[in-house]
Amino acid sequence: PVPESTWANAVRTAPALQSPLPGPGSAEAAGQSVSMLQPVAWFGLPQEVQELINTNAGAYAPLLTLLLVIIINNQIDRIRREQESKALASAGKAVAEAAERTVRSVTSEQWAKLALCVAIDGLGDSTFLLPGLGELADLGYGPLEGVLLNALFKSGSLAALGTFEELLPFTDALPTATIGWVLETFFADSPLGRLFGLEHPEDRKEAEEKAKAEEAQAKAK
């Protein structure tokens, strides 16, 4: 059995156990409500609102606070879901428009351009069929490829790459023209496409139509 002195010391060191339980509307109950709600930031309610609840609700303040938090969080979740749905719908629309734009850009003219690019790369690779003369042939074909690439893509940097690709040894296998077509058709807005100064076929077509309209207006004046 525990000695009586031990129980006495425990009671003396815990004076709160000797006081009666506070009633629902007493000041002690309001104080306990405040302590039960610490920290207030966990509930996400403003300090002024929390103090108003603690003052008027007494012992029921924790329950009222919890109900408010649940209601507020439900409203926040609903608003967030609505915004996410709008963002997803907007992103889906943008992707669909980009895909439609890309499909429109691959016209019969663009396919013919691809065939010409493959032929340009094939001619550059065919110099390997001339034993001992391949590199000499590249000296003449390199500048020609540069001129063709500049005419096809209006890109001096891509033309320079095609020229050096033919002139430098062991680089003939690089299909510069075909790579340029892929970049122009599908990745004109990418960093690499902008580096080469490529323009999307749809953008180029719109620019040409605008230039023709301005020229017609200038002649009419």
Side-chain angles (χ1 to χ4, degrees), residues 154-192:
K154 303 294 188 295
S155 171
S157 55
L158 187 63
L161 176 63
T163 300
F164 285 110
E165 174 252 319
E166 289 295 332
L167 296 179
L168 295 175
F170 311 113
T171 58
D172 284 359
L174 182 66
T176 308
T178 304
I179 292 174
W181 183 89
V182 172
L183 288 174
E184 178 192 62
T185 306
F186 302 108
F187 306 103
D189 296 331
S190 67
L192 189 58

PDB file of all heavy atoms in Angstrom, residues 154-192:
ATOM      1  N   LYS A 154      14.595  30.514 -94.630  1.00  0.00           N
ATOM      2  CA  LYS A 154      14.893  31.918 -94.324  1.00  0.00           C
ATOM      3  C   LYS A 154      15.674  32.035 -93.020  1.00  0.00           C
ATOM      4  O   LYS A 154      15.411  32.887 -92.179  1.00  0.00           O
ATOM      5  CB  LYS A 154      13.591  32.722 -94.223  1.00  0.00           C
ATOM      6  CG  LYS A 154      12.727  32.668 -95.468  1.00  0.00           C
ATOM      7  CD  LYS A 154      13.392  33.337 -96.645  1.00  0.00           C
ATOM      8  CE  LYS A 154      12.448  33.447 -97.840  1.00  0.00           C
ATOM      9  NZ  LYS A 154      12.061  32.130 -98.390  1.00  0.00           N
ATOM     10  N   SER A 155      16.656  31.136 -92.867  1.00  0.00           N
ATOM     11  CA  SER A 155      17.450  31.081 -91.637  1.00  0.00           C
ATOM     12  C   SER A 155      18.922  31.021 -92.002  1.00  0.00           C
ATOM     13  O   SER A 155      19.399  29.997 -92.521  1.00  0.00           O
ATOM     14  CB  SER A 155      17.052  29.866 -90.784  1.00  0.00           C
ATOM     15  OG  SER A 155      17.947  29.693 -89.704  1.00  0.00           O
ATOM     16  N   GLY A 156      19.624  32.109 -91.739  1.00  0.00           N
ATOM     17  CA  GLY A 156      21.049  32.122 -92.030  1.00  0.00           C
ATOM     18  C   GLY A 156      21.839  31.181 -91.150  1.00  0.00           C
ATOM     19  O   GLY A 156      22.807  30.558 -91.592  1.00  0.00           O
ATOM     20  N   SER A 157      21.408  31.043 -89.880  1.00  0.00           N
ATOM     21  CA  SER A 157      22.142  30.152 -88.956  1.00  0.00           C
ATOM     22  C   SER A 157      21.983  28.694 -89.368  1.00  0.00           C
ATOM     23  O   SER A 157      22.939  27.919 -89.301  1.00  0.00           O
ATOM     24  CB  SER A 157      21.652  30.368 -87.524  1.00  0.00           C
ATOM     25  OG  SER A 157      20.239  30.197 -87.437  1.00  0.00           O
ATOM     26  N   LEU A 158      20.785  28.307 -89.796  1.00  0.00           N
ATOM     27  CA  LEU A 158      20.580  26.930 -90.245  1.00  0.00           C
ATOM     28  C   LEU A 158      21.343  26.678 -91.543  1.00  0.00           C
ATOM     29  O   LEU A 158      21.914  25.593 -91.740  1.00  0.00           O
ATOM     30  CB  LEU A 158      19.098  26.653 -90.444  1.00  0.00           C
ATOM     31  CG  LEU A 158      18.720  25.202 -90.762  1.00  0.00           C
ATOM     32  CD1 LEU A 158      19.090  24.277 -89.608  1.00  0.00           C
ATOM     33  CD2 LEU A 158      17.222  25.085 -91.065  1.00  0.00           C
ATOM     34  N   ALA A 159      21.393  27.671 -92.422  1.00  0.00           N
ATOM     35  CA  ALA A 159      22.159  27.542 -93.660  1.00  0.00           C
ATOM     36  C   ALA A 159      23.642  27.378 -93.358  1.00  0.00           C
ATOM     37  O   ALA A 159      24.335  26.560 -93.989  1.00  0.00           O
ATOM     38  CB  ALA A 159      21.917  28.759 -94.547  1.00  0.00           C
ATOM     39  N   ALA A 160      24.154  28.136 -92.384  1.00  0.00           N
ATOM     40  CA  ALA A 160      25.559  28.014 -92.016  1.00  0.00           C
ATOM     41  C   ALA A 160      25.854  26.634 -91.428  1.00  0.00           C
ATOM     42  O   ALA A 160      26.894  26.036 -91.727  1.00  0.00           O
ATOM     43  CB  ALA A 160      25.925  29.102 -91.007  1.00  0.00           C
ATOM     44  N   LEU A 161      24.914  26.129 -90.608  1.00  0.00           N
ATOM     45  CA  LEU A 161      25.098  24.790 -90.041  1.00  0.00           C
ATOM     46  C   LEU A 161      25.147  23.737 -91.144  1.00  0.00           C
ATOM     47  O   LEU A 161      25.996  22.829 -91.111  1.00  0.00           O
ATOM     48  CB  LEU A 161      23.951  24.480 -89.082  1.00  0.00           C
ATOM     49  CG  LEU A 161      23.953  23.074 -88.468  1.00  0.00           C
ATOM     50  CD1 LEU A 161      25.202  22.874 -87.612  1.00  0.00           C
ATOM     51  CD2 LEU A 161      22.695  22.848 -87.630  1.00  0.00           C
ATOM     52  N   GLY A 162      24.263  23.844 -92.150  1.00  0.00           N
ATOM     53  CA  GLY A 162      24.278  22.883 -93.250  1.00  0.00           C
ATOM     54  C   GLY A 162      25.557  22.957 -94.051  1.00  0.00           C
ATOM     55  O   GLY A 162      26.096  21.929 -94.484  1.00  0.00           O
ATOM     56  N   THR A 163      26.072  24.164 -94.243  1.00  0.00           N
ATOM     57  CA  THR A 163      27.317  24.319 -95.004  1.00  0.00           C
ATOM     58  C   THR A 163      28.488  23.684 -94.262  1.00  0.00           C
ATOM     59  O   THR A 163      29.261  22.895 -94.847  1.00  0.00           O
ATOM     60  CB  THR A 163      27.603  25.817 -95.236  1.00  0.00           C
ATOM     61  OG1 THR A 163      26.519  26.391 -95.961  1.00  0.00           O
ATOM     62  CG2 THR A 163      28.888  25.992 -96.026  1.00  0.00           C
ATOM     63  N   PHE A 164      28.636  24.011 -92.991  1.00  0.00           N
ATOM     64  CA  PHE A 164      29.747  23.439 -92.223  1.00  0.00           C
ATOM     65  C   PHE A 164      29.575  21.931 -92.029  1.00  0.00           C
ATOM     66  O   PHE A 164      30.566  21.202 -91.945  1.00  0.00           O
ATOM     67  CB  PHE A 164      29.862  24.139 -90.870  1.00  0.00           C
ATOM     68  CG  PHE A 164      30.455  25.506 -90.961  1.00  0.00           C
ATOM     69  CD1 PHE A 164      29.690  26.631 -90.735  1.00  0.00           C
ATOM     70  CD2 PHE A 164      31.802  25.671 -91.285  1.00  0.00           C
ATOM     71  CE1 PHE A 164      30.233  27.898 -90.818  1.00  0.00           C
ATOM     72  CE2 PHE A 164      32.352  26.941 -91.371  1.00  0.00           C
ATOM     73  CZ  PHE A 164      31.558  28.065 -91.148  1.00  0.00           C
ATOM     74  N   GLU A 165      28.338  21.482 -91.963  1.00  0.00           N
ATOM     75  CA  GLU A 165      28.096  20.034 -91.813  1.00  0.00           C
ATOM     76  C   GLU A 165      28.629  19.270 -93.021  1.00  0.00           C
ATOM     77  O   GLU A 165      29.114  18.140 -92.902  1.00  0.00           O
ATOM     78  CB  GLU A 165      26.596  19.793 -91.630  1.00  0.00           C
ATOM     79  CG  GLU A 165      26.190  18.334 -91.615  1.00  0.00           C
ATOM     80  CD  GLU A 165      25.447  17.949 -92.889  1.00  0.00           C
ATOM     81  OE1 GLU A 165      24.625  18.750 -93.344  1.00  0.00           O
ATOM     82  OE2 GLU A 165      25.729  16.844 -93.404  1.00  0.00           O
ATOM     83  N   GLU A 166      28.553  19.879 -94.201  1.00  0.00           N
ATOM     84  CA  GLU A 166      29.078  19.230 -95.399  1.00  0.00           C
ATOM     85  C   GLU A 166      30.589  19.383 -95.520  1.00  0.00           C
ATOM     86  O   GLU A 166      31.274  18.483 -96.006  1.00  0.00           O
ATOM     87  CB  GLU A 166      28.405  19.814 -96.643  1.00  0.00           C
ATOM     88  CG  GLU A 166      26.948  19.417 -96.791  1.00  0.00           C
ATOM     89  CD  GLU A 166      26.766  17.934 -97.020  1.00  0.00           C
ATOM     90  OE1 GLU A 166      27.679  17.291 -97.586  1.00  0.00           O
ATOM     91  OE2 GLU A 166      25.712  17.402 -96.613  1.00  0.00           O
ATOM     92  N   LEU A 167      31.118  20.504 -95.084  1.00  0.00           N
ATOM     93  CA  LEU A 167      32.544  20.755 -95.240  1.00  0.00           C
ATOM     94  C   LEU A 167      33.383  20.008 -94.217  1.00  0.00           C
ATOM     95  O   LEU A 167      34.497  19.555 -94.532  1.00  0.00           O
ATOM     96  CB  LEU A 167      32.824  22.261 -95.137  1.00  0.00           C
ATOM     97  CG  LEU A 167      32.195  23.139 -96.237  1.00  0.00           C
ATOM     98  CD1 LEU A 167      32.521  24.608 -95.995  1.00  0.00           C
ATOM     99  CD2 LEU A 167      32.681  22.708 -97.615  1.00  0.00           C
ATOM    100  N   LEU A 168      32.882  19.876 -92.987  1.00  0.00           N
ATOM    101  CA  LEU A 168      33.658  19.205 -91.945  1.00  0.00           C
ATOM    102  C   LEU A 168      33.638  17.700 -92.171  1.00  0.00           C
ATOM    103  O   LEU A 168      32.644  17.137 -92.639  1.00  0.00           O
ATOM    104  CB  LEU A 168      33.087  19.541 -90.565  1.00  0.00           C
ATOM    105  CG  LEU A 168      33.198  21.013 -90.135  1.00  0.00           C
ATOM    106  CD1 LEU A 168      32.493  21.224 -88.798  1.00  0.00           C
ATOM    107  CD2 LEU A 168      34.658  21.435 -90.038  1.00  0.00           C
ATOM    108  N   PRO A 169      34.724  17.019 -91.842  1.00  0.00           N
ATOM    109  CA  PRO A 169      34.760  15.563 -92.041  1.00  0.00           C
ATOM    110  C   PRO A 169      33.882  14.815 -91.031  1.00  0.00           C
ATOM    111  O   PRO A 169      33.704  15.262 -89.894  1.00  0.00           O
ATOM    112  CB  PRO A 169      36.244  15.223 -91.840  1.00  0.00           C
ATOM    113  CG  PRO A 169      36.775  16.312 -90.975  1.00  0.00           C
ATOM    114  CD  PRO A 169      36.002  17.551 -91.350  1.00  0.00           C
ATOM    115  N   PHE A 170      33.318  13.701 -91.496  1.00  0.00           N
ATOM    116  CA  PHE A 170      32.549  12.772 -90.660  1.00  0.00           C
ATOM    117  C   PHE A 170      31.256  13.386 -90.107  1.00  0.00           C
ATOM    118  O   PHE A 170      30.748  12.949 -89.083  1.00  0.00           O
ATOM    119  CB  PHE A 170      33.399  12.239 -89.494  1.00  0.00           C
ATOM    120  CG  PHE A 170      34.747  11.732 -89.908  1.00  0.00           C
ATOM    121  CD1 PHE A 170      35.907  12.385 -89.512  1.00  0.00           C
ATOM    122  CD2 PHE A 170      34.855  10.606 -90.715  1.00  0.00           C
ATOM    123  CE1 PHE A 170      37.150  11.925 -89.897  1.00  0.00           C
ATOM    124  CE2 PHE A 170      36.112  10.139 -91.103  1.00  0.00           C
ATOM    125  CZ  PHE A 170      37.247  10.791 -90.696  1.00  0.00           C
ATOM    126  N   THR A 171      30.742  14.402 -90.747  1.00  0.00           N
ATOM    127  CA  THR A 171      29.482  15.006 -90.277  1.00  0.00           C
ATOM    128  C   THR A 171      28.383  14.939 -91.339  1.00  0.00           C
ATOM    129  O   THR A 171      27.297  15.486 -91.130  1.00  0.00           O
ATOM    130  CB  THR A 171      29.703  16.477 -89.885  1.00  0.00           C
ATOM    131  OG1 THR A 171      30.224  17.202 -91.005  1.00  0.00           O
ATOM    132  CG2 THR A 171      30.651  16.591 -88.703  1.00  0.00           C
ATOM    133  N   ASP A 172      28.651  14.267 -92.456  1.00  0.00           N
ATOM    134  CA  ASP A 172      27.658  14.213 -93.535  1.00  0.00           C
ATOM    135  C   ASP A 172      26.388  13.482 -93.116  1.00  0.00           C
ATOM    136  O   ASP A 172      25.324  13.707 -93.710  1.00  0.00           O
ATOM    137  CB  ASP A 172      28.256  13.506 -94.758  1.00  0.00           C
ATOM    138  CG  ASP A 172      29.222  14.426 -95.498  1.00  0.00           C
ATOM    139  OD1 ASP A 172      29.366  15.568 -95.052  1.00  0.00           O
ATOM    140  OD2 ASP A 172      29.809  13.999 -96.502  1.00  0.00           O
ATOM    141  N   ALA A 173      26.489  12.612 -92.126  1.00  0.00           N
ATOM    142  CA  ALA A 173      25.319  11.813 -91.728  1.00  0.00           C
ATOM    143  C   ALA A 173      24.259  12.652 -91.020  1.00  0.00           C
ATOM    144  O   ALA A 173      23.127  12.194 -90.838  1.00  0.00           O
ATOM    145  CB  ALA A 173      25.750  10.661 -90.827  1.00  0.00           C
ATOM    146  N   LEU A 174      24.597  13.882 -90.630  1.00  0.00           N
ATOM    147  CA  LEU A 174      23.629  14.728 -89.928  1.00  0.00           C
ATOM    148  C   LEU A 174      22.599  15.274 -90.922  1.00  0.00           C
ATOM    149  O   LEU A 174      22.949  16.030 -91.831  1.00  0.00           O
ATOM    150  CB  LEU A 174      24.351  15.895 -89.247  1.00  0.00           C
ATOM    151  CG  LEU A 174      23.475  16.852 -88.417  1.00  0.00           C
ATOM    152  CD1 LEU A 174      22.892  16.133 -87.219  1.00  0.00           C
ATOM    153  CD2 LEU A 174      24.286  18.067 -87.975  1.00  0.00           C
ATOM    154  N   PRO A 175      21.308  14.891 -90.775  1.00  0.00           N
ATOM    155  CA  PRO A 175      20.271  15.361 -91.717  1.00  0.00           C
ATOM    156  C   PRO A 175      19.809  16.774 -91.374  1.00  0.00           C
ATOM    157  O   PRO A 175      18.719  16.986 -90.841  1.00  0.00           O
ATOM    158  CB  PRO A 175      19.165  14.321 -91.548  1.00  0.00           C
ATOM    159  CG  PRO A 175      19.282  13.879 -90.130  1.00  0.00           C
ATOM    160  CD  PRO A 175      20.756  13.940 -89.791  1.00  0.00           C
ATOM    161  N   THR A 176      20.619  17.754 -91.693  1.00  0.00           N
ATOM    162  CA  THR A 176      20.343  19.132 -91.288  1.00  0.00           C
ATOM    163  C   THR A 176      19.020  19.640 -91.836  1.00  0.00           C
ATOM    164  O   THR A 176      18.237  20.275 -91.126  1.00  0.00           O
ATOM    165  CB  THR A 176      21.486  20.049 -91.744  1.00  0.00           C
ATOM    166  OG1 THR A 176      22.730  19.503 -91.302  1.00  0.00           O
ATOM    167  CG2 THR A 176      21.318  21.443 -91.176  1.00  0.00           C
ATOM    168  N   ALA A 177      18.751  19.382 -93.108  1.00  0.00           N
ATOM    169  CA  ALA A 177      17.525  19.891 -93.730  1.00  0.00           C
ATOM    170  C   ALA A 177      16.282  19.276 -93.089  1.00  0.00           C
ATOM    171  O   ALA A 177      15.299  19.973 -92.806  1.00  0.00           O
ATOM    172  CB  ALA A 177      17.545  19.613 -95.231  1.00  0.00           C
ATOM    173  N   THR A 178      16.324  17.969 -92.843  1.00  0.00           N
ATOM    174  CA  THR A 178      15.170  17.301 -92.239  1.00  0.00           C
ATOM    175  C   THR A 178      14.953  17.772 -90.811  1.00  0.00           C
ATOM    176  O   THR A 178      13.810  17.983 -90.374  1.00  0.00           O
ATOM    177  CB  THR A 178      15.375  15.776 -92.253  1.00  0.00           C
ATOM    178  OG1 THR A 178      15.608  15.352 -93.602  1.00  0.00           O
ATOM    179  CG2 THR A 178      14.159  15.059 -91.714  1.00  0.00           C
ATOM    180  N   ILE A 179      16.039  17.958 -90.075  1.00  0.00           N
ATOM    181  CA  ILE A 179      15.926  18.484 -88.717  1.00  0.00           C
ATOM    182  C   ILE A 179      15.318  19.883 -88.741  1.00  0.00           C
ATOM    183  O   ILE A 179      14.468  20.235 -87.911  1.00  0.00           O
ATOM    184  CB  ILE A 179      17.297  18.490 -88.027  1.00  0.00           C
ATOM    185  CG1 ILE A 179      17.774  17.058 -87.775  1.00  0.00           C
ATOM    186  CG2 ILE A 179      17.247  19.252 -86.706  1.00  0.00           C
ATOM    187  CD1 ILE A 179      19.184  16.959 -87.223  1.00  0.00           C
ATOM    188  N   GLY A 180      15.734  20.693 -89.713  1.00  0.00           N
ATOM    189  CA  GLY A 180      15.162  22.029 -89.835  1.00  0.00           C
ATOM    190  C   GLY A 180      13.668  21.987 -90.115  1.00  0.00           C
ATOM    191  O   GLY A 180      12.901  22.795 -89.571  1.00  0.00           O
ATOM    192  N   TRP A 181      13.234  21.034 -90.936  1.00  0.00           N
ATOM    193  CA  TRP A 181      11.798  20.907 -91.227  1.00  0.00           C
ATOM    194  C   TRP A 181      11.020  20.529 -89.973  1.00  0.00           C
ATOM    195  O   TRP A 181       9.948  21.083 -89.715  1.00  0.00           O
ATOM    196  CB  TRP A 181      11.583  19.851 -92.309  1.00  0.00           C
ATOM    197  CG  TRP A 181      10.157  19.697 -92.741  1.00  0.00           C
ATOM    198  CD1 TRP A 181       9.521  20.381 -93.727  1.00  0.00           C
ATOM    199  CD2 TRP A 181       9.180  18.809 -92.181  1.00  0.00           C
ATOM    200  NE1 TRP A 181       8.216  19.988 -93.826  1.00  0.00           N
ATOM    201  CE2 TRP A 181       7.970  19.012 -92.881  1.00  0.00           C
ATOM    202  CE3 TRP A 181       9.201  17.864 -91.165  1.00  0.00           C
ATOM    203  CZ2 TRP A 181       6.806  18.312 -92.601  1.00  0.00           C
ATOM    204  CZ3 TRP A 181       8.036  17.162 -90.875  1.00  0.00           C
ATOM    205  CH2 TRP A 181       6.858  17.390 -91.582  1.00  0.00           C
ATOM    206  N   VAL A 182      11.536  19.590 -89.201  1.00  0.00           N
ATOM    207  CA  VAL A 182      10.858  19.169 -87.970  1.00  0.00           C
ATOM    208  C   VAL A 182      10.765  20.337 -86.985  1.00  0.00           C
ATOM    209  O   VAL A 182       9.713  20.573 -86.375  1.00  0.00           O
ATOM    210  CB  VAL A 182      11.592  17.972 -87.337  1.00  0.00           C
ATOM    211  CG1 VAL A 182      11.014  17.652 -85.966  1.00  0.00           C
ATOM    212  CG2 VAL A 182      11.504  16.747 -88.237  1.00  0.00           C
ATOM    213  N   LEU A 183      11.862  21.070 -86.841  1.00  0.00           N
ATOM    214  CA  LEU A 183      11.848  22.211 -85.923  1.00  0.00           C
ATOM    215  C   LEU A 183      10.858  23.271 -86.384  1.00  0.00           C
ATOM    216  O   LEU A 183      10.104  23.830 -85.580  1.00  0.00           O
ATOM    217  CB  LEU A 183      13.247  22.814 -85.814  1.00  0.00           C
ATOM    218  CG  LEU A 183      14.290  22.006 -85.040  1.00  0.00           C
ATOM    219  CD1 LEU A 183      15.654  22.668 -85.144  1.00  0.00           C
ATOM    220  CD2 LEU A 183      13.891  21.865 -83.577  1.00  0.00           C
ATOM    221  N   GLU A 184      10.845  23.560 -87.673  1.00  0.00           N
ATOM    222  CA  GLU A 184       9.950  24.593 -88.188  1.00  0.00           C
ATOM    223  C   GLU A 184       8.493  24.187 -88.049  1.00  0.00           C
ATOM    224  O   GLU A 184       7.640  25.003 -87.690  1.00  0.00           O
ATOM    225  CB  GLU A 184      10.273  24.859 -89.658  1.00  0.00           C
ATOM    226  CG  GLU A 184       9.363  25.885 -90.310  1.00  0.00           C
ATOM    227  CD  GLU A 184       9.518  25.905 -91.810  1.00  0.00           C
ATOM    228  OE1 GLU A 184       9.230  24.867 -92.457  1.00  0.00           O
ATOM    229  OE2 GLU A 184       9.922  26.955 -92.342  1.00  0.00           O
ATOM    230  N   THR A 185       8.188  22.916 -88.296  1.00  0.00           N
ATOM    231  CA  THR A 185       6.803  22.471 -88.329  1.00  0.00           C
ATOM    232  C   THR A 185       6.223  22.270 -86.941  1.00  0.00           C
ATOM    233  O   THR A 185       5.071  22.634 -86.674  1.00  0.00           O
ATOM    234  CB  THR A 185       6.686  21.164 -89.134  1.00  0.00           C
ATOM    235  OG1 THR A 185       7.269  21.360 -90.436  1.00  0.00           O
ATOM    236  CG2 THR A 185       5.227  20.741 -89.289  1.00  0.00           C
ATOM    237  N   PHE A 186       7.016  21.703 -86.035  1.00  0.00           N
ATOM    238  CA  PHE A 186       6.482  21.304 -84.732  1.00  0.00           C
ATOM    239  C   PHE A 186       7.075  22.072 -83.552  1.00  0.00           C
ATOM    240  O   PHE A 186       6.441  22.135 -82.493  1.00  0.00           O
ATOM    241  CB  PHE A 186       6.709  19.806 -84.509  1.00  0.00           C
ATOM    242  CG  PHE A 186       6.090  18.936 -85.563  1.00  0.00           C
ATOM    243  CD1 PHE A 186       6.875  18.283 -86.493  1.00  0.00           C
ATOM    244  CD2 PHE A 186       4.720  18.781 -85.631  1.00  0.00           C
ATOM    245  CE1 PHE A 186       6.303  17.477 -87.467  1.00  0.00           C
ATOM    246  CE2 PHE A 186       4.125  17.987 -86.599  1.00  0.00           C
ATOM    247  CZ  PHE A 186       4.927  17.335 -87.525  1.00  0.00           C
ATOM    248  N   PHE A 187       8.263  22.623 -83.687  1.00  0.00           N
ATOM    249  CA  PHE A 187       8.938  23.224 -82.535  1.00  0.00           C
ATOM    250  C   PHE A 187       9.500  24.610 -82.863  1.00  0.00           C
ATOM    251  O   PHE A 187      10.565  24.983 -82.373  1.00  0.00           O
ATOM    252  CB  PHE A 187      10.069  22.315 -82.045  1.00  0.00           C
ATOM    253  CG  PHE A 187       9.634  20.912 -81.739  1.00  0.00           C
ATOM    254  CD1 PHE A 187       9.915  19.873 -82.617  1.00  0.00           C
ATOM    255  CD2 PHE A 187       8.913  20.632 -80.587  1.00  0.00           C
ATOM    256  CE1 PHE A 187       9.507  18.584 -82.340  1.00  0.00           C
ATOM    257  CE2 PHE A 187       8.495  19.344 -80.303  1.00  0.00           C
ATOM    258  CZ  PHE A 187       8.796  18.314 -81.189  1.00  0.00           C
ATOM    259  N   ALA A 188       8.778  25.364 -83.679  1.00  0.00           N
ATOM    260  CA  ALA A 188       9.273  26.694 -84.044  1.00  0.00           C
ATOM    261  C   ALA A 188       9.349  27.622 -82.840  1.00  0.00           C
ATOM    262  O   ALA A 188      10.190  28.520 -82.794  1.00  0.00           O
ATOM    263  CB  ALA A 188       8.384  27.298 -85.118  1.00  0.00           C
ATOM    264  N   ASP A 189       8.462  27.409 -81.852  1.00  0.00           N
ATOM    265  CA  ASP A 189       8.435  28.268 -80.664  1.00  0.00           C
ATOM    266  C   ASP A 189       9.373  27.783 -79.562  1.00  0.00           C
ATOM    267  O   ASP A 189       9.431  28.407 -78.498  1.00  0.00           O
ATOM    268  CB  ASP A 189       7.014  28.349 -80.103  1.00  0.00           C
ATOM    269  CG  ASP A 189       6.052  29.009 -81.085  1.00  0.00           C
ATOM    270  OD1 ASP A 189       6.511  29.856 -81.872  1.00  0.00           O
ATOM    271  OD2 ASP A 189       4.846  28.679 -81.072  1.00  0.00           O
ATOM    272  N   SER A 190      10.082  26.688 -79.782  1.00  0.00           N
ATOM    273  CA  SER A 190      11.008  26.175 -78.772  1.00  0.00           C
ATOM    274  C   SER A 190      12.287  27.006 -78.762  1.00  0.00           C
ATOM    275  O   SER A 190      12.557  27.769 -79.705  1.00  0.00           O
ATOM    276  CB  SER A 190      11.345  24.711 -79.075  1.00  0.00           C
ATOM    277  OG  SER A 190      12.094  24.621 -80.280  1.00  0.00           O
ATOM    278  N   PRO A 191      13.084  26.895 -77.703  1.00  0.00           N
ATOM    279  CA  PRO A 191      14.353  27.651 -77.668  1.00  0.00           C
ATOM    280  C   PRO A 191      15.259  27.352 -78.866  1.00  0.00           C
ATOM    281  O   PRO A 191      15.883  28.269 -79.411  1.00  0.00           O
ATOM    282  CB  PRO A 191      14.987  27.197 -76.348  1.00  0.00           C
ATOM    283  CG  PRO A 191      13.830  26.796 -75.487  1.00  0.00           C
ATOM    284  CD  PRO A 191      12.823  26.201 -76.430  1.00  0.00           C
ATOM    285  N   LEU A 192      15.310  26.082 -79.278  1.00  0.00           N
ATOM    286  CA  LEU A 192      16.154  25.727 -80.422  1.00  0.00           C
ATOM    287  C   LEU A 192      15.593  26.313 -81.713  1.00  0.00           C
ATOM    288  O   LEU A 192      16.354  26.790 -82.573  1.00  0.00           O
ATOM    289  CB  LEU A 192      16.264  24.213 -80.527  1.00  0.00           C
ATOM    290  CG  LEU A 192      17.289  23.660 -81.533  1.00  0.00           C
ATOM    291  CD1 LEU A 192      18.674  24.183 -81.198  1.00  0.00           C
ATOM    292  CD2 LEU A 192      17.275  22.132 -81.534  1.00  0.00           C
TER     293      LEU A 192
END
